[in-house]
Amino acid sequence: MFEFLQTPVGPLPLADWISWICIVIGAFFAIVGAVGIVRFPDVFSRMHGAGMVDTMGINMILVGLMFQADEWIVIVKLGLILLFIFFTSPTTTFALARAAIHGGVNPGPKADEPHKTAKQETTSSNT
Amino acid sequence: MTMFAVAAIAVLVSMALSMVRAFIGPTVFDRILAVNVSGTLTVVLISVYGFLDGRPDFLDIALLYGLINFIATIAVSKYMKFRDLGHPIDGPDEGDV
C-alpha cells in the first residue's frame, strides 16, 4: 500500500502506530459507552451511551483496522461497514425512542424528584 | 497481532456490559437497546476476528450482520409500538416507522 505508511517510527511502522492509537481510542469509547448504558437512570439517557458506543467506539476501531489492511477491497469493505453503521445507528435509536415514548416511558423528570428550576438548584447547592 | 486482541477484548467487555443492561433493564426498550448495541459490537468482533485470522472475507459477514441487526431492531421497535407488524392501530400517528 502506501510506502510512507511502512516507514518504521521507533519499533513499529507508522501504520501500526496510527491503528494502535485509533483502536485504543475506539476501545476506550466502546467501554465508556457501555458503562453509560448500564449506569444511566433513564431509557433515553441510555440511548446516549448506545450512541457513544456506535459512533465513536466502533468507527474508531474500524478506522484503526483500515490501516492494517493489505488490499484495497478490504479498505472499501471496512468503509462500507463504517458508513452503514454511521447512518443506521441514529435511525434505530430514533425508532426505539418513538416506540418508548409511545409505549409509555415518561421522558420527563422522575415523579418523586421535585421539579427544581436551575436557579433553585444553585441556591440549594450553595446553602 | 496484539492490537487485534486488545480491540476484541474491549468489544467483549462492552458487550458484556450491555448484556448486563439487557438482563437488568426494567422496560423492554432497554433490552431492545442493549441487543442492538451488542449486535453492532458483534459486527466489529467479526471483522476484528477476520483480521486476526488473516481472512478478509469475514468483512462481508460483518456487513451482512450489520444489515440484519438494523432491520431486526426496526422491526422489534415497530412491533413494540404498534403491537402488530401488519396494520398499525388507529391513533394520532405521523406515519408508519
Side-chain angles (χ1 to χ4, degrees), chain A residues 81 84-85 88 92, chain B residues 32 35-36 38-40 42-43 46 59-77:
Chain A
I81 294 177
F84 182 75
I85 290 182
T88 54
T92 51
Chain B
I32 302 175
V35 165
N36 176 31
S38 70
T40 46
T42 316
V43 168
I46 296 173
L59 294 176
D60 308 336
I61 303 173
L63 185 62
L64 198 60
Y65 197 89
L67 292 166
I68 295 178
N69 179 43
F70 169 59
I71 302 294
T73 310
I74 294 286
V76 169
S77 51

Side-chain angles (χ1 to χ4, degrees), chain A residues 25-92:
Chain A
I25 292 176
F28 169 72
F29 273 100
I31 292 177
V32 161
V35 165
I37 288 177
V38 171
R39 282 182 56 87
F40 275 135
D42 188 57
V43 177
F44 300 100
S45 47
R46 282 177 206 131
M47 287 181 188
H48 170 64
M52 193 58 67
V53 168
D54 275 354
T55 49
M56 198 54 177
I58 288 182
N59 286 358
M60 284 309 277
I61 292 182
L62 289 180
V63 165
L65 287 181
M66 272 187 191
F67 285 98
Q68 295 299 318
D70 305 335
E71 301 100 15
W72 277 99
I73 190 65
V74 173
I75 296 184
V76 167
K77 281 182 196 166
L78 279 170
L80 282 177
I81 294 177
L82 199 139
L83 263 178
F84 182 75
I85 290 182
F86 185 75
F87 282 116
T88 54
S89 130
T91 317
T92 51

Side-chain angles (χ1 to χ4, degrees), chain B residues 15-89:
Chain B
M15 198 184 287
L17 281 170
S18 72
M19 275 305 119
V20 163
R21 172 51 57 191
F23 289 130
I24 299 175
T27 66
V28 74
F29 305 107
D30 306 314
R31 295 194 169 91
I32 302 175
L33 186 73
V35 165
N36 176 31
V37 165
S38 70
T40 46
L41 284 170
T42 316
V43 168
V44 179
L45 195 65
I46 296 173
S47 43
V48 162
Y49 188 74
F51 268 85
L52 260 176
D53 245 0
R55 295 180 50 183
D57 47 13
F58 269 39
L59 294 176
D60 308 336
I61 303 173
L63 185 62
L64 198 60
Y65 197 89
L67 292 166
I68 295 178
N69 179 43
F70 169 59
I71 302 294
T73 310
I74 294 286
V76 169
S77 51
K78 177 181 177 185
Y79 177 74
M80 283 319 296
K81 179 170 185 186
F82 295 122
R83 289 290 170 274
D84 190 343
L85 277 176
H87 24 76
I89 48 178

Side-chain angles (χ1 to χ4, degrees), chain A residues 8-30:
Chain A
V9 176
L12 292 172
L14 181 61
D16 286 6
W17 281 111
I18 299 175
S19 58
W20 255 112
I21 293 167
C22 287
I23 283 185
V24 164
I25 292 176
F28 169 72
F29 273 100

